[in-house]
Amino acid sequence: MRLPAVNSAHLKLATFLGLLGLVLNIYPIPLFANVQLILGNAAVVIVAILLGPWYALFTALFTATGLMLAWSSAHVYLVFLLEALWLGFARRKDVPILYASIGYWLLLGLPLMSLYLWLITGMPSYHIPFTTIKQAFNGIFYTTLGELCVVALPSLWHLKDKLVNHTRRTMSAQLSYLFILITTISLLTSSLVFNHYFMDKQQVLINRNLDDTGISLGHATESYIAVNTRTIASVGKFISESGIPFEQWQTTLSSVQGLTQSFTTMFIANERGEIVAGSPIEKFQQLKQMGKMFTVKDRDYFIQSFNHHNTFVSPVFVGRFIGKEIIIAISAPIFKEGTNDTVGIVQGSLDLSFFSSIDKQNQHHETQSIILLDEKKNIVYASERLGLTPLAPFNFVTGSTEYRTRLKLMDINQTEADTPEYIYAHHQLNNGWHLYVVEPFVPLLTLAQEQYTKTIVLLLLSMLGAVIIAKAISRLTTTPLALLAQHFSQTKDGSFNEEKFEHELLDNSTPKEIYSLYESLEANQQALLSYQLELEDKVKQRTMDLEIANRKLKDMAERDSLTNLYNRRYTEKQFLHIQDLCERGQDAIAVVLLDLDFFKKVNDTYGHLAGDECLRVMAEVLSSHFKRDVDLLCRYGGEEFVLILPMCNTLKVEQHLNDFREKLASVVITNPADQVTFSVTVSIGAIIADAAYSSTLEVWLKQADENLYKAKEQGRNCVVCTLISA
């Protein structure tokens, strides 16, 4: 493809707009999540409209570089450079830029973006539709903005050598398109504002729900631990102060567990850490049947309660006796009655299923999940859908540099992904535990995607509505104007329509200005018709005068003014046609040269008026004697005359010339000056030959002139004729 020559003024404009677009694209306007409004690409649209595809491509190199600096993603060069070429070539084809932009994103932009995000970036599939739709939204927005900039800036209307439409659009089409542009920019702007506040409100509600859930579940967790901590402390205190014998500890323990369902197991250990009583009794009996004494002397909950004399809630750990369950132990010291000497501890293993029950009691259980950590950040409990293992450390990444939200974001399973997985709220419990309430981020993205999709659908419907409205306005304005223009314009033959304009659109609903225009045109039409009739009469008269003048001019150009015979120039020109015609028919031509005898003597004797009269008589006799239409009679100069007689009878030409000579000699000429009469004679030299003899008149006249000279030598008033055979 051959590139056009570079226009320096166009190149400067494309560079300026490209640099402006680059700066704007480096700082895109952040909206929700990773949605950013890029305005710099409007510069590409402006250049595409004014200068075509290649300058638009040049400008797009700048604007795409700005996006590359802002997003660090190479796809911008492919998507936006291709868009620049698409819009530029569409402009050359007179396709409105907005329609071209919509077509580009539907046919190329969205598929290319989706493939790039899926194959290159590895973005999760659930996030690709949102990213591509918001980019299409962006493209339509800056395209409309660029088109309106061209419409709104008069300086761009008169840009030298800019692209122009190949076909003139109707006012109805222009009005419809302008309506669509205004509707589009209004709808997109209002939807951006609405979507911003809508998503902002949703984020506030989500944050509030997460916080409320966290506070509620946190209180329930704290209450559960606090109640059971007090239970264990009360059991230890009761055993210490009541002086219950060692043999009754088992009975007391079984009675306590029978009153509360919060513990899976309870036991009492002596000062050596040996388990001496346990509940439920079945599990304790299993321990005894193993035949060895189990000790918990190395456990934190024993050390804290026995040595430090306090009630202790342990971190989560795995039990090492029956079942090897995941345990949170609550322990309290048992003192020797009346002293501060510890003789053992009482311990209860919390029933962790309680956290599952409070999780399910959450009114937002279907969307929200909880993660409960102990003071060591190990997982105590996590909602089943999260797939986290209790007791394992909780590894996660918070925040996202790519997403602008009011929400706290967290990645659990995809710690290196750019797209956040969860929204979360964090609460630290009074006992040092941590509670996280999380909710998937995808539903919020889906909601935003639905908002942008609805906006695009509404945009298309609004475009249709704008066309309908523009057609309705056109029916009231442009259609009557077009009908008036058609009625009052001239027809192909240049006449005016004399009929009165009548149409159903011209009624009381017609705008006053248009009806006034109709009345004015009607009056002007009548005046024009009257003037036209008058002008036609004048034109007819002038045409007749002109034709007469043209005939006179033609005669003046071709004939001698004195004798009215053809002149020398016409004869020389006409001889070519005569010779060509006779040559094709193999006919003979006679060329005759005539010279009045002693013509100078006539002028000297009778005066120049007599000489002129003599020439006129000579012409009259010639015209009366040589009457054929094909005969050419010419005054060749002075008193010389030339006869060209095509298709002649070679045997009778000389006799016919002698008859003319005698006829002229017998004519009496009257001098106009003094009425004196006189007569003249003529000498004649002639040549008769086939037309092929020569195509040049001078050759024929030269031979005729020689014969004329011989006639004069023979005493004048005679004919010398030569027949030249083939």
Side-chain angles (χ1 to χ4, degrees), residues 39 42 85 102 107 184 234 244 255 258 296 371 422 460 462 469 475 489 559 573 588 610 612 662 707 712 724:
L39 301 180
L85 289 174
I102 294 174
L107 299 176
T184 301
S234 298
I244 297 175
S255 300
V296 295
I371 305 166
Y422 297 101
L460 296 177
S462 299
I469 293 173
R475 181 177 175 82
S489 61
R559 294 182 181 272
K573 178 180 177 182
D612 291 343
E662 293 173 358
N707 289 341
K712 289 184 178 182
I724 300 177

PDB file of all heavy atoms in Angstrom, residues 39 42 85 102 107 184 234 244 255 258 296 371 422 460 462 469 475 489 559 573 588 610 612 662 707 712 724:
ATOM      1  N   LEU A  39      -8.851   9.366  28.769  1.00  0.00           N
ATOM      2  CA  LEU A  39      -9.330  10.436  27.893  1.00  0.00           C
ATOM      3  C   LEU A  39      -8.335  10.763  26.780  1.00  0.00           C
ATOM      4  O   LEU A  39      -8.693  11.402  25.800  1.00  0.00           O
ATOM      5  CB  LEU A  39      -9.609  11.697  28.722  1.00  0.00           C
ATOM      6  CG  LEU A  39     -10.641  11.551  29.844  1.00  0.00           C
ATOM      7  CD1 LEU A  39     -10.820  12.873  30.569  1.00  0.00           C
ATOM      8  CD2 LEU A  39     -11.964  11.063  29.295  1.00  0.00           C
ATOM      9  N   ALA A  42      -8.932  10.180  22.969  1.00  0.00           N
ATOM     10  CA  ALA A  42      -9.772  11.083  22.182  1.00  0.00           C
ATOM     11  C   ALA A  42      -8.936  11.839  21.152  1.00  0.00           C
ATOM     12  O   ALA A  42      -9.436  12.218  20.093  1.00  0.00           O
ATOM     13  CB  ALA A  42     -10.498  12.062  23.099  1.00  0.00           C
ATOM     14  N   LEU A  85      -6.132   2.646  13.113  1.00  0.00           N
ATOM     15  CA  LEU A  85      -6.239   2.353  11.679  1.00  0.00           C
ATOM     16  C   LEU A  85      -7.688   2.100  11.279  1.00  0.00           C
ATOM     17  O   LEU A  85      -8.152   2.566  10.228  1.00  0.00           O
ATOM     18  CB  LEU A  85      -5.380   1.139  11.336  1.00  0.00           C
ATOM     19  CG  LEU A  85      -3.860   1.342  11.371  1.00  0.00           C
ATOM     20  CD1 LEU A  85      -3.146   0.025  11.146  1.00  0.00           C
ATOM     21  CD2 LEU A  85      -3.434   2.367  10.333  1.00  0.00           C
ATOM     22  N   ILE A 102     -18.069   1.415  17.610  1.00  0.00           N
ATOM     23  CA  ILE A 102     -18.902   0.321  18.123  1.00  0.00           C
ATOM     24  C   ILE A 102     -18.619  -0.959  17.343  1.00  0.00           C
ATOM     25  O   ILE A 102     -18.468  -2.040  17.919  1.00  0.00           O
ATOM     26  CB  ILE A 102     -20.390   0.700  18.040  1.00  0.00           C
ATOM     27  CG1 ILE A 102     -20.692   1.877  18.991  1.00  0.00           C
ATOM     28  CG2 ILE A 102     -21.273  -0.488  18.389  1.00  0.00           C
ATOM     29  CD1 ILE A 102     -22.094   2.409  18.862  1.00  0.00           C
ATOM     30  N   LEU A 107     -16.371  -6.393  16.918  1.00  0.00           N
ATOM     31  CA  LEU A 107     -15.774  -7.364  16.002  1.00  0.00           C
ATOM     32  C   LEU A 107     -14.326  -7.705  16.334  1.00  0.00           C
ATOM     33  O   LEU A 107     -13.903  -8.853  16.151  1.00  0.00           O
ATOM     34  CB  LEU A 107     -15.853  -6.835  14.564  1.00  0.00           C
ATOM     35  CG  LEU A 107     -17.264  -6.578  14.023  1.00  0.00           C
ATOM     36  CD1 LEU A 107     -17.184  -5.970  12.631  1.00  0.00           C
ATOM     37  CD2 LEU A 107     -18.077  -7.861  14.008  1.00  0.00           C
ATOM     38  N   THR A 184     -25.298   9.909  23.456  1.00  0.00           N
ATOM     39  CA  THR A 184     -24.265   8.973  23.901  1.00  0.00           C
ATOM     40  C   THR A 184     -23.396   9.572  24.992  1.00  0.00           C
ATOM     41  O   THR A 184     -23.181   8.955  26.043  1.00  0.00           O
ATOM     42  CB  THR A 184     -23.388   8.561  22.708  1.00  0.00           C
ATOM     43  OG1 THR A 184     -24.213   7.946  21.710  1.00  0.00           O
ATOM     44  CG2 THR A 184     -22.315   7.573  23.140  1.00  0.00           C
ATOM     45  N   SER A 234     -14.311 -22.305  87.691  1.00  0.00           N
ATOM     46  CA  SER A 234     -15.237 -22.612  88.801  1.00  0.00           C
ATOM     47  C   SER A 234     -15.053 -24.048  89.283  1.00  0.00           C
ATOM     48  O   SER A 234     -15.120 -24.330  90.498  1.00  0.00           O
ATOM     49  CB  SER A 234     -16.682 -22.397  88.342  1.00  0.00           C
ATOM     50  OG  SER A 234     -16.895 -21.048  87.994  1.00  0.00           O
ATOM     51  N   ILE A 244     -13.025 -31.767  98.478  1.00  0.00           N
ATOM     52  CA  ILE A 244     -13.501 -33.062  97.980  1.00  0.00           C
ATOM     53  C   ILE A 244     -12.324 -34.033  97.948  1.00  0.00           C
ATOM     54  O   ILE A 244     -11.255 -33.703  97.423  1.00  0.00           O
ATOM     55  CB  ILE A 244     -14.120 -32.916  96.586  1.00  0.00           C
ATOM     56  CG1 ILE A 244     -15.344 -32.014  96.628  1.00  0.00           C
ATOM     57  CG2 ILE A 244     -14.501 -34.275  96.014  1.00  0.00           C
ATOM     58  CD1 ILE A 244     -15.932 -31.727  95.275  1.00  0.00           C
ATOM     59  N   SER A 255     -20.108 -35.030  86.579  1.00  0.00           N
ATOM     60  CA  SER A 255     -21.302 -34.220  86.820  1.00  0.00           C
ATOM     61  C   SER A 255     -21.210 -32.895  86.076  1.00  0.00           C
ATOM     62  O   SER A 255     -22.188 -32.410  85.490  1.00  0.00           O
ATOM     63  CB  SER A 255     -21.473 -33.972  88.323  1.00  0.00           C
ATOM     64  OG  SER A 255     -21.618 -35.198  89.020  1.00  0.00           O
ATOM     65  N   GLY A 258     -21.695 -33.291  82.382  1.00  0.00           N
ATOM     66  CA  GLY A 258     -23.091 -33.574  82.099  1.00  0.00           C
ATOM     67  C   GLY A 258     -23.930 -32.320  82.059  1.00  0.00           C
ATOM     68  O   GLY A 258     -24.992 -32.281  81.420  1.00  0.00           O
ATOM     69  N   VAL A 296       0.558 -34.968  81.178  1.00  0.00           N
ATOM     70  CA  VAL A 296       0.461 -33.721  80.403  1.00  0.00           C
ATOM     71  C   VAL A 296       1.375 -32.661  80.988  1.00  0.00           C
ATOM     72  O   VAL A 296       1.172 -31.461  80.784  1.00  0.00           O
ATOM     73  CB  VAL A 296      -0.998 -33.223  80.376  1.00  0.00           C
ATOM     74  CG1 VAL A 296      -1.890 -34.190  79.634  1.00  0.00           C
ATOM     75  CG2 VAL A 296      -1.513 -32.992  81.793  1.00  0.00           C
ATOM     76  N   ILE A 371     -12.982 -16.894  59.353  1.00  0.00           N
ATOM     77  CA  ILE A 371     -11.701 -17.541  59.667  1.00  0.00           C
ATOM     78  C   ILE A 371     -11.349 -17.095  61.083  1.00  0.00           C
ATOM     79  O   ILE A 371     -11.208 -15.891  61.346  1.00  0.00           O
ATOM     80  CB  ILE A 371     -10.591 -17.120  58.694  1.00  0.00           C
ATOM     81  CG1 ILE A 371     -11.028 -17.380  57.246  1.00  0.00           C
ATOM     82  CG2 ILE A 371      -9.294 -17.842  59.003  1.00  0.00           C
ATOM     83  CD1 ILE A 371     -10.151 -16.703  56.218  1.00  0.00           C
ATOM     84  N   TYR A 422     -10.986 -11.952  47.811  1.00  0.00           N
ATOM     85  CA  TYR A 422     -11.978 -11.712  48.850  1.00  0.00           C
ATOM     86  C   TYR A 422     -11.938 -10.276  49.348  1.00  0.00           C
ATOM     87  O   TYR A 422     -10.906  -9.595  49.304  1.00  0.00           O
ATOM     88  CB  TYR A 422     -11.744 -12.646  50.050  1.00  0.00           C
ATOM     89  CG  TYR A 422     -11.902 -14.107  49.731  1.00  0.00           C
ATOM     90  CD1 TYR A 422     -10.789 -14.918  49.515  1.00  0.00           C
ATOM     91  CD2 TYR A 422     -13.163 -14.680  49.647  1.00  0.00           C
ATOM     92  CE1 TYR A 422     -10.929 -16.266  49.213  1.00  0.00           C
ATOM     93  CE2 TYR A 422     -13.318 -16.032  49.348  1.00  0.00           C
ATOM     94  CZ  TYR A 422     -12.198 -16.809  49.128  1.00  0.00           C
ATOM     95  OH  TYR A 422     -12.350 -18.141  48.836  1.00  0.00           O
ATOM     96  N   LEU A 460     -27.374   1.602  23.225  1.00  0.00           N
ATOM     97  CA  LEU A 460     -27.860   1.197  21.904  1.00  0.00           C
ATOM     98  C   LEU A 460     -29.344   1.543  21.740  1.00  0.00           C
ATOM     99  O   LEU A 460     -29.772   2.022  20.681  1.00  0.00           O
ATOM    100  CB  LEU A 460     -27.639  -0.291  21.704  1.00  0.00           C
ATOM    101  CG  LEU A 460     -26.168  -0.751  21.698  1.00  0.00           C
ATOM    102  CD1 LEU A 460     -26.076  -2.257  21.571  1.00  0.00           C
ATOM    103  CD2 LEU A 460     -25.397  -0.076  20.577  1.00  0.00           C
ATOM    104  N   SER A 462     -30.857   3.928  23.332  1.00  0.00           N
ATOM    105  CA  SER A 462     -30.935   5.394  23.257  1.00  0.00           C
ATOM    106  C   SER A 462     -30.580   5.890  21.867  1.00  0.00           C
ATOM    107  O   SER A 462     -31.145   6.877  21.387  1.00  0.00           O
ATOM    108  CB  SER A 462     -30.005   6.017  24.301  1.00  0.00           C
ATOM    109  OG  SER A 462     -30.379   5.625  25.599  1.00  0.00           O
ATOM    110  N   ILE A 469     -36.338  10.167  17.293  1.00  0.00           N
ATOM    111  CA  ILE A 469     -36.621  11.576  17.622  1.00  0.00           C
ATOM    112  C   ILE A 469     -36.143  12.492  16.500  1.00  0.00           C
ATOM    113  O   ILE A 469     -36.837  13.434  16.097  1.00  0.00           O
ATOM    114  CB  ILE A 469     -35.953  11.952  18.960  1.00  0.00           C
ATOM    115  CG1 ILE A 469     -36.619  11.184  20.109  1.00  0.00           C
ATOM    116  CG2 ILE A 469     -36.053  13.455  19.202  1.00  0.00           C
ATOM    117  CD1 ILE A 469     -35.919  11.363  21.433  1.00  0.00           C
ATOM    118  N   ARG A 475     -39.158  15.456  10.227  1.00  0.00           N
ATOM    119  CA  ARG A 475     -40.466  15.524   9.565  1.00  0.00           C
ATOM    120  C   ARG A 475     -41.076  16.916   9.702  1.00  0.00           C
ATOM    121  O   ARG A 475     -41.787  17.388   8.822  1.00  0.00           O
ATOM    122  CB  ARG A 475     -41.394  14.467  10.161  1.00  0.00           C
ATOM    123  CG  ARG A 475     -42.773  14.432   9.528  1.00  0.00           C
ATOM    124  CD  ARG A 475     -43.616  13.305  10.108  1.00  0.00           C
ATOM    125  NE  ARG A 475     -44.977  13.336   9.596  1.00  0.00           N
ATOM    126  CZ  ARG A 475     -45.362  12.844   8.431  1.00  0.00           C
ATOM    127  NH1 ARG A 475     -44.467  12.268   7.657  1.00  0.00           N
ATOM    128  NH2 ARG A 475     -46.613  12.907   8.034  1.00  0.00           N
ATOM    129  N   SER A 489     -37.367  24.616  -7.044  1.00  0.00           N
ATOM    130  CA  SER A 489     -36.147  24.605  -7.836  1.00  0.00           C
ATOM    131  C   SER A 489     -36.494  24.447  -9.320  1.00  0.00           C
ATOM    132  O   SER A 489     -37.599  24.045  -9.682  1.00  0.00           O
ATOM    133  CB  SER A 489     -35.242  23.456  -7.388  1.00  0.00           C
ATOM    134  OG  SER A 489     -35.892  22.216  -7.586  1.00  0.00           O
ATOM    135  N   ARG A 559     -16.918  35.246 -47.605  1.00  0.00           N
ATOM    136  CA  ARG A 559     -17.270  35.859 -48.900  1.00  0.00           C
ATOM    137  C   ARG A 559     -16.626  37.235 -49.073  1.00  0.00           C
ATOM    138  O   ARG A 559     -16.344  37.933 -48.102  1.00  0.00           O
ATOM    139  CB  ARG A 559     -18.791  35.981 -49.034  1.00  0.00           C
ATOM    140  CG  ARG A 559     -19.495  34.625 -49.121  1.00  0.00           C
ATOM    141  CD  ARG A 559     -20.984  34.804 -49.303  1.00  0.00           C
ATOM    142  NE  ARG A 559     -21.684  33.525 -49.371  1.00  0.00           N
ATOM    143  CZ  ARG A 559     -21.878  32.824 -50.478  1.00  0.00           C
ATOM    144  NH1 ARG A 559     -21.418  33.315 -51.652  1.00  0.00           N
ATOM    145  NH2 ARG A 559     -22.520  31.673 -50.466  1.00  0.00           N
ATOM    146  N   LYS A 573      -9.549  26.430 -48.537  1.00  0.00           N
ATOM    147  CA  LYS A 573      -9.978  25.450 -47.528  1.00  0.00           C
ATOM    148  C   LYS A 573     -10.981  24.460 -48.106  1.00  0.00           C
ATOM    149  O   LYS A 573     -10.898  23.250 -47.876  1.00  0.00           O
ATOM    150  CB  LYS A 573     -10.582  26.194 -46.333  1.00  0.00           C
ATOM    151  CG  LYS A 573     -11.097  25.279 -45.236  1.00  0.00           C
ATOM    152  CD  LYS A 573     -11.678  26.119 -44.101  1.00  0.00           C
ATOM    153  CE  LYS A 573     -12.269  25.223 -43.019  1.00  0.00           C
ATOM    154  NZ  LYS A 573     -12.884  26.016 -41.928  1.00  0.00           N
ATOM    155  N   ALA A 588     -13.528  14.212 -62.588  1.00  0.00           N
ATOM    156  CA  ALA A 588     -12.617  15.255 -63.057  1.00  0.00           C
ATOM    157  C   ALA A 588     -12.978  16.581 -62.419  1.00  0.00           C
ATOM    158  O   ALA A 588     -14.122  16.818 -62.010  1.00  0.00           O
ATOM    159  CB  ALA A 588     -12.686  15.367 -64.575  1.00  0.00           C
ATOM    160  N   ALA A 610     -16.685  52.880 -61.019  1.00  0.00           N
ATOM    161  CA  ALA A 610     -16.935  52.115 -62.236  1.00  0.00           C
ATOM    162  C   ALA A 610     -16.228  50.780 -62.168  1.00  0.00           C
ATOM    163  O   ALA A 610     -16.747  49.741 -62.617  1.00  0.00           O
ATOM    164  CB  ALA A 610     -16.485  52.896 -63.453  1.00  0.00           C
ATOM    165  N   ASP A 612     -15.551  49.088 -59.404  1.00  0.00           N
ATOM    166  CA  ASP A 612     -16.317  48.221 -58.481  1.00  0.00           C
ATOM    167  C   ASP A 612     -17.562  47.685 -59.163  1.00  0.00           C
ATOM    168  O   ASP A 612     -17.928  46.518 -59.005  1.00  0.00           O
ATOM    169  CB  ASP A 612     -16.706  49.000 -57.229  1.00  0.00           C
ATOM    170  CG  ASP A 612     -15.503  49.334 -56.355  1.00  0.00           C
ATOM    171  OD1 ASP A 612     -14.437  48.695 -56.547  1.00  0.00           O
ATOM    172  OD2 ASP A 612     -15.626  50.186 -55.442  1.00  0.00           O
ATOM    173  N   GLU A 662     -18.403  35.337 -74.038  1.00  0.00           N
ATOM    174  CA  GLU A 662     -19.204  36.106 -74.996  1.00  0.00           C
ATOM    175  C   GLU A 662     -20.352  36.818 -74.282  1.00  0.00           C
ATOM    176  O   GLU A 662     -20.711  37.960 -74.625  1.00  0.00           O
ATOM    177  CB  GLU A 662     -19.749  35.167 -76.070  1.00  0.00           C
ATOM    178  CG  GLU A 662     -18.656  34.581 -76.971  1.00  0.00           C
ATOM    179  CD  GLU A 662     -19.189  33.530 -77.928  1.00  0.00           C
ATOM    180  OE1 GLU A 662     -20.414  33.231 -77.845  1.00  0.00           O
ATOM    181  OE2 GLU A 662     -18.402  32.991 -78.724  1.00  0.00           O
ATOM    182  N   ASN A 707      -1.985  29.040 -68.701  1.00  0.00           N
ATOM    183  CA  ASN A 707      -2.945  29.120 -69.799  1.00  0.00           C
ATOM    184  C   ASN A 707      -3.522  30.523 -69.923  1.00  0.00           C
ATOM    185  O   ASN A 707      -3.805  31.018 -71.029  1.00  0.00           O
ATOM    186  CB  ASN A 707      -4.072  28.112 -69.607  1.00  0.00           C
ATOM    187  CG  ASN A 707      -3.589  26.681 -69.816  1.00  0.00           C
ATOM    188  OD1 ASN A 707      -2.534  26.470 -70.425  1.00  0.00           O
ATOM    189  ND2 ASN A 707      -4.353  25.704 -69.340  1.00  0.00           N
ATOM    190  N   LYS A 712      -3.770  35.815 -72.885  1.00  0.00           N
ATOM    191  CA  LYS A 712      -3.455  37.245 -73.016  1.00  0.00           C
ATOM    192  C   LYS A 712      -2.490  37.471 -74.176  1.00  0.00           C
ATOM    193  O   LYS A 712      -2.583  38.481 -74.886  1.00  0.00           O
ATOM    194  CB  LYS A 712      -2.865  37.771 -71.708  1.00  0.00           C
ATOM    195  CG  LYS A 712      -3.895  37.866 -70.584  1.00  0.00           C
ATOM    196  CD  LYS A 712      -3.275  38.480 -69.321  1.00  0.00           C
ATOM    197  CE  LYS A 712      -4.333  38.623 -68.219  1.00  0.00           C
ATOM    198  NZ  LYS A 712      -3.784  39.241 -67.012  1.00  0.00           N
ATOM    199  N   ILE A 724      -5.576  17.526 -69.007  1.00  0.00           N
ATOM    200  CA  ILE A 724      -4.438  16.691 -68.572  1.00  0.00           C
ATOM    201  C   ILE A 724      -4.961  15.287 -68.364  1.00  0.00           C
ATOM    202  O   ILE A 724      -5.822  15.038 -67.514  1.00  0.00           O
ATOM    203  CB  ILE A 724      -3.813  17.224 -67.277  1.00  0.00           C
ATOM    204  CG1 ILE A 724      -3.313  18.664 -67.506  1.00  0.00           C
ATOM    205  CG2 ILE A 724      -2.673  16.319 -66.817  1.00  0.00           C
ATOM    206  CD1 ILE A 724      -2.748  19.311 -66.260  1.00  0.00           C
TER     207      ILE A 724
END
